[in-house]
Amino acid sequence: MRYLFFLLISALFWHLTNSSVTTDNTKLNQDSVTLKQAAPFPLGVSVDARLLTSNKQYRSTVNREFNSITSENALKMNRLLVAPNQYDWSGGDSIVDFARTTGKRMHGHTLVWHRSVPKWVEAFQGDSIAWENLLKSHIQTVIGHYKGQVKSWDVANEVIDDDGSLRKSIWSAHLGPDYVARCYQYAHEADPNALLFYNDYGQEINLKKALAIKAMLMNLKKRKIPIHGVGLQSHISIYHSDSQYRRGLAVMTSVGLLVHISELDIRLNTKKIKNLAITEDMLEDQEQKYESIVEIYKDVVPKKQRYGITIWNLSDKDSYQLKDCQCPDAPMPFDTTYKKKLAYKGLLDGLRQ
């Protein structure tokens, strides 16, 4: 009898607990205030071109909640420059057209990166002048194609290594250490009205890297190279230190450029455990971390420097994090059915305060 009584009490407790969670999420999904309505600065999302055109729920959620769009992959070199002097604009055009028709700010990502390089470029044979012409032509062709439609660009992406040195890449090897500055000059020539950003990861963890990025940006400013903003990718986790994030954000803000939290997601499964059970405590920690990041951004970055916050794709189903780790995780504010999670509430609460 005691065992039966214990089972009944346990079942009742489970029912009450899970009913409460369901009720809370129902209320959250009925909240009429959207993220973009609550945000005192642009609130963005990176989008997948295929999902944007094929998934109505994806498209409508993006349209409802955000007022800024970033191209997740469609404007990377390997997606565009499919062969010498041959471009595939289909994915990029669909995203830019969506941003234009829905009145959203368009941010292009990314022109120069050590990854996502076409195989034919990796095999390219030529002297430094030929390599220079290849990169210049790519930058100016892409920006020229979208001139007046893309408000801002991540020109160079992740050119500083974790030890603070210039990253060794196909570009540094063939073009020398000052190729980064020339990329910004080429971009500015193609569209003088576009805002040009440098984008990287790890500034919120690695102080040495943050200071190296700052030194590079200050040098570009001193030389009057046209650069207008810096992006902190912010692929972090629920275990990330708020004080570390505040420190890294402060270093980037001190450069005096526009500051963009450019690729925000907050992981639960940092150890990539294959059979991890995601708990309500983890989701509550995630809620708090999303709220904290917004509050830190508002506290550290002056209004005139806030370019906004962008999350890196929309739902837990769409995040590249799950594809990379091949393990359970739920890093985004929307679940796999595009319902709002506690993480959404944290983001919304941070924006409202």
Side-chain angles (χ1 to χ4, degrees), residues 9 12 48 50 75-76 82 102 118-119 159-160 170 198 217 224 243 297 311:
I9 292 298
L12 178 61
D48 177 275
R50 180 185 59 83
L75 295 180
K76 291 175 180 175
V82 294
T102 57
K119 292 189 182 300
V159 304
I160 299 298
I170 194 171
Y198 174 72
L217 297 176
K224 300 191 183 306
S243 61
Y297 183 75
I311 64 169

mmCIF file of all heavy atoms in Angstrom, residues 9 12 48 50 75-76 82 102 118-119 159-160 170 198 217 224 243 297 311:
data_model
loop_
_atom_site.group_PDB
_atom_site.id
_atom_site.type_symbol
_atom_site.label_atom_id
_atom_site.label_comp_id
_atom_site.label_asym_id
_atom_site.label_seq_id
_atom_site.Cartn_x
_atom_site.Cartn_y
_atom_site.Cartn_z
ATOM 1 N N ILE A 9 1.253 9.667 -5.502
ATOM 2 C CA ILE A 9 1.762 11.011 -5.185
ATOM 3 C C ILE A 9 2.738 11.473 -6.260
ATOM 4 O O ILE A 9 2.711 12.629 -6.707
ATOM 5 C CB ILE A 9 2.442 11.019 -3.795
ATOM 6 C CG1 ILE A 9 1.398 10.794 -2.701
ATOM 7 C CG2 ILE A 9 3.179 12.333 -3.575
ATOM 8 C CD1 ILE A 9 0.325 11.869 -2.624
ATOM 9 N N LEU A 12 0.864 12.473 -9.388
ATOM 10 C CA LEU A 12 0.185 13.747 -9.189
ATOM 11 C C LEU A 12 1.165 14.903 -9.281
ATOM 12 O O LEU A 12 0.893 15.936 -9.914
ATOM 13 C CB LEU A 12 -0.521 13.760 -7.821
ATOM 14 C CG LEU A 12 -1.249 15.064 -7.452
ATOM 15 C CD1 LEU A 12 -2.358 15.354 -8.465
ATOM 16 C CD2 LEU A 12 -1.816 14.967 -6.043
ATOM 17 N N ASP A 48 18.026 31.151 -43.584
ATOM 18 C CA ASP A 48 18.389 30.190 -44.613
ATOM 19 C C ASP A 48 17.498 30.443 -45.827
ATOM 20 O O ASP A 48 16.272 30.492 -45.704
ATOM 21 C CB ASP A 48 18.188 28.774 -44.066
ATOM 22 C CG ASP A 48 18.476 27.708 -45.096
ATOM 23 O OD1 ASP A 48 17.570 27.387 -45.881
ATOM 24 O OD2 ASP A 48 19.609 27.191 -45.119
ATOM 25 N N ARG A 50 16.661 28.636 -48.406
ATOM 26 C CA ARG A 50 15.731 27.561 -48.758
ATOM 27 C C ARG A 50 14.518 27.555 -47.830
ATOM 28 O O ARG A 50 13.369 27.452 -48.283
ATOM 29 C CB ARG A 50 16.452 26.213 -48.700
ATOM 30 C CG ARG A 50 15.569 25.012 -49.051
ATOM 31 C CD ARG A 50 16.327 23.710 -48.849
ATOM 32 N NE ARG A 50 16.785 23.568 -47.474
ATOM 33 C CZ ARG A 50 16.026 23.115 -46.478
ATOM 34 N NH1 ARG A 50 14.749 22.815 -46.691
ATOM 35 N NH2 ARG A 50 16.527 22.979 -45.264
ATOM 36 N N LEU A 75 25.340 34.323 -48.988
ATOM 37 C CA LEU A 75 26.246 35.316 -49.562
ATOM 38 C C LEU A 75 27.717 35.010 -49.279
ATOM 39 O O LEU A 75 28.579 35.855 -49.508
ATOM 40 C CB LEU A 75 25.879 36.719 -49.060
ATOM 41 C CG LEU A 75 24.503 37.230 -49.498
ATOM 42 C CD1 LEU A 75 24.248 38.628 -48.949
ATOM 43 C CD2 LEU A 75 24.368 37.226 -51.021
ATOM 44 N N LYS A 76 27.988 33.798 -48.802
ATOM 45 C CA LYS A 76 29.383 33.375 -48.652
ATOM 46 C C LYS A 76 29.950 33.011 -50.019
ATOM 47 O O LYS A 76 29.214 32.633 -50.942
ATOM 48 C CB LYS A 76 29.467 32.191 -47.690
ATOM 49 C CG LYS A 76 29.143 32.582 -46.251
ATOM 50 C CD LYS A 76 29.101 31.386 -45.327
ATOM 51 C CE LYS A 76 28.771 31.815 -43.895
ATOM 52 N NZ LYS A 76 28.598 30.659 -42.978
ATOM 53 N N VAL A 82 30.525 30.277 -58.086
ATOM 54 C CA VAL A 82 30.511 28.830 -58.349
ATOM 55 C C VAL A 82 31.569 28.405 -59.360
ATOM 56 O O VAL A 82 31.940 27.224 -59.431
ATOM 57 C CB VAL A 82 29.108 28.387 -58.820
ATOM 58 C CG1 VAL A 82 28.103 28.572 -57.692
ATOM 59 C CG2 VAL A 82 28.658 29.172 -60.059
ATOM 60 N N THR A 102 9.515 43.344 -47.081
ATOM 61 C CA THR A 102 8.964 43.394 -45.725
ATOM 62 C C THR A 102 9.502 44.571 -44.916
ATOM 63 O O THR A 102 9.179 44.709 -43.735
ATOM 64 C CB THR A 102 9.262 42.080 -44.973
ATOM 65 O OG1 THR A 102 10.682 41.850 -44.948
ATOM 66 C CG2 THR A 102 8.556 40.902 -45.625
ATOM 67 N N PRO A 118 35.444 28.463 -52.421
ATOM 68 C CA PRO A 118 35.196 27.480 -53.474
ATOM 69 C C PRO A 118 36.443 26.639 -53.763
ATOM 70 O O PRO A 118 37.577 27.140 -53.676
ATOM 71 C CB PRO A 118 34.821 28.337 -54.679
ATOM 72 C CG PRO A 118 34.399 29.649 -54.121
ATOM 73 C CD PRO A 118 35.193 29.842 -52.871
ATOM 74 N N LYS A 119 36.234 25.391 -54.129
ATOM 75 C CA LYS A 119 37.364 24.495 -54.401
ATOM 76 C C LYS A 119 38.210 25.003 -55.554
ATOM 77 O O LYS A 119 39.435 24.853 -55.559
ATOM 78 C CB LYS A 119 36.856 23.077 -54.668
ATOM 79 C CG LYS A 119 36.253 22.402 -53.444
ATOM 80 C CD LYS A 119 35.975 20.934 -53.708
ATOM 81 C CE LYS A 119 35.325 20.284 -52.476
ATOM 82 N NZ LYS A 119 36.200 20.369 -51.286
ATOM 83 N N VAL A 159 39.593 36.992 -38.988
ATOM 84 C CA VAL A 159 40.978 37.039 -39.475
ATOM 85 C C VAL A 159 41.994 37.049 -38.337
ATOM 86 O O VAL A 159 43.197 36.908 -38.587
ATOM 87 C CB VAL A 159 41.222 38.258 -40.398
ATOM 88 C CG1 VAL A 159 40.241 38.255 -41.562
ATOM 89 C CG2 VAL A 159 41.152 39.560 -39.639
ATOM 90 N N ILE A 160 41.537 37.184 -37.099
ATOM 91 C CA ILE A 160 42.430 37.114 -35.942
ATOM 92 C C ILE A 160 42.307 35.729 -35.303
ATOM 93 O O ILE A 160 41.206 35.275 -35.004
ATOM 94 C CB ILE A 160 42.102 38.212 -34.910
ATOM 95 C CG1 ILE A 160 42.269 39.594 -35.522
ATOM 96 C CG2 ILE A 160 42.978 38.063 -33.666
ATOM 97 C CD1 ILE A 160 43.683 39.926 -35.979
ATOM 98 N N ILE A 170 44.353 31.191 -46.805
ATOM 99 C CA ILE A 170 44.674 31.285 -48.220
ATOM 100 C C ILE A 170 44.875 32.735 -48.640
ATOM 101 O O ILE A 170 45.675 33.041 -49.529
ATOM 102 C CB ILE A 170 43.547 30.607 -49.043
ATOM 103 C CG1 ILE A 170 43.995 30.365 -50.472
ATOM 104 C CG2 ILE A 170 42.249 31.418 -48.994
ATOM 105 C CD1 ILE A 170 43.017 29.496 -51.263
ATOM 106 N N TYR A 198 33.678 44.461 -39.165
ATOM 107 C CA TYR A 198 34.563 43.320 -38.929
ATOM 108 C C TYR A 198 33.849 42.390 -37.961
ATOM 109 O O TYR A 198 33.310 42.834 -36.937
ATOM 110 C CB TYR A 198 35.906 43.751 -38.330
ATOM 111 C CG TYR A 198 36.738 42.552 -37.971
ATOM 112 C CD1 TYR A 198 37.311 41.773 -38.971
ATOM 113 C CD2 TYR A 198 36.900 42.152 -36.642
ATOM 114 C CE1 TYR A 198 38.028 40.633 -38.652
ATOM 115 C CE2 TYR A 198 37.618 41.011 -36.324
ATOM 116 C CZ TYR A 198 38.178 40.249 -37.335
ATOM 117 O OH TYR A 198 38.881 39.113 -37.027
ATOM 118 N N LEU A 217 41.586 47.097 -35.285
ATOM 119 C CA LEU A 217 40.562 48.071 -35.646
ATOM 120 C C LEU A 217 41.036 49.501 -35.421
ATOM 121 O O LEU A 217 40.759 50.397 -36.242
ATOM 122 C CB LEU A 217 39.288 47.802 -34.840
ATOM 123 C CG LEU A 217 38.607 46.449 -35.093
ATOM 124 C CD1 LEU A 217 37.419 46.269 -34.155
ATOM 125 C CD2 LEU A 217 38.179 46.304 -36.543
ATOM 126 N N LYS A 224 42.553 55.742 -41.526
ATOM 127 C CA LYS A 224 41.353 56.214 -42.238
ATOM 128 C C LYS A 224 40.838 55.184 -43.248
ATOM 129 O O LYS A 224 40.293 55.535 -44.306
ATOM 130 C CB LYS A 224 41.612 57.566 -42.898
ATOM 131 C CG LYS A 224 42.002 58.653 -41.902
ATOM 132 C CD LYS A 224 41.992 60.018 -42.522
ATOM 133 C CE LYS A 224 42.452 61.093 -41.547
ATOM 134 N NZ LYS A 224 41.696 61.094 -40.275
ATOM 135 N N SER A 243 30.336 38.307 -16.387
ATOM 136 C CA SER A 243 31.411 39.299 -16.207
ATOM 137 C C SER A 243 32.405 39.227 -17.373
ATOM 138 O O SER A 243 32.902 40.255 -17.825
ATOM 139 C CB SER A 243 32.126 39.091 -14.877
ATOM 140 O OG SER A 243 32.722 37.814 -14.808
ATOM 141 N N TYR A 297 24.348 44.300 -22.962
ATOM 142 C CA TYR A 297 24.474 45.104 -24.181
ATOM 143 C C TYR A 297 23.929 46.512 -23.967
ATOM 144 O O TYR A 297 24.570 47.511 -24.328
ATOM 145 C CB TYR A 297 23.728 44.408 -25.316
ATOM 146 C CG TYR A 297 23.841 45.088 -26.662
ATOM 147 C CD1 TYR A 297 25.003 45.013 -27.418
ATOM 148 C CD2 TYR A 297 22.760 45.790 -27.194
ATOM 149 C CE1 TYR A 297 25.097 45.622 -28.661
ATOM 150 C CE2 TYR A 297 22.842 46.406 -28.435
ATOM 151 C CZ TYR A 297 24.012 46.316 -29.170
ATOM 152 O OH TYR A 297 24.097 46.933 -30.401
ATOM 153 N N ILE A 311 20.123 36.967 -33.691
ATOM 154 C CA ILE A 311 20.272 35.559 -33.319
ATOM 155 C C ILE A 311 20.589 34.754 -34.580
ATOM 156 O O ILE A 311 20.212 35.123 -35.686
ATOM 157 C CB ILE A 311 19.029 35.004 -32.600
ATOM 158 C CG1 ILE A 311 17.793 35.005 -33.517
ATOM 159 C CG2 ILE A 311 18.757 35.799 -31.328
ATOM 160 C CD1 ILE A 311 16.625 34.231 -32.937
#
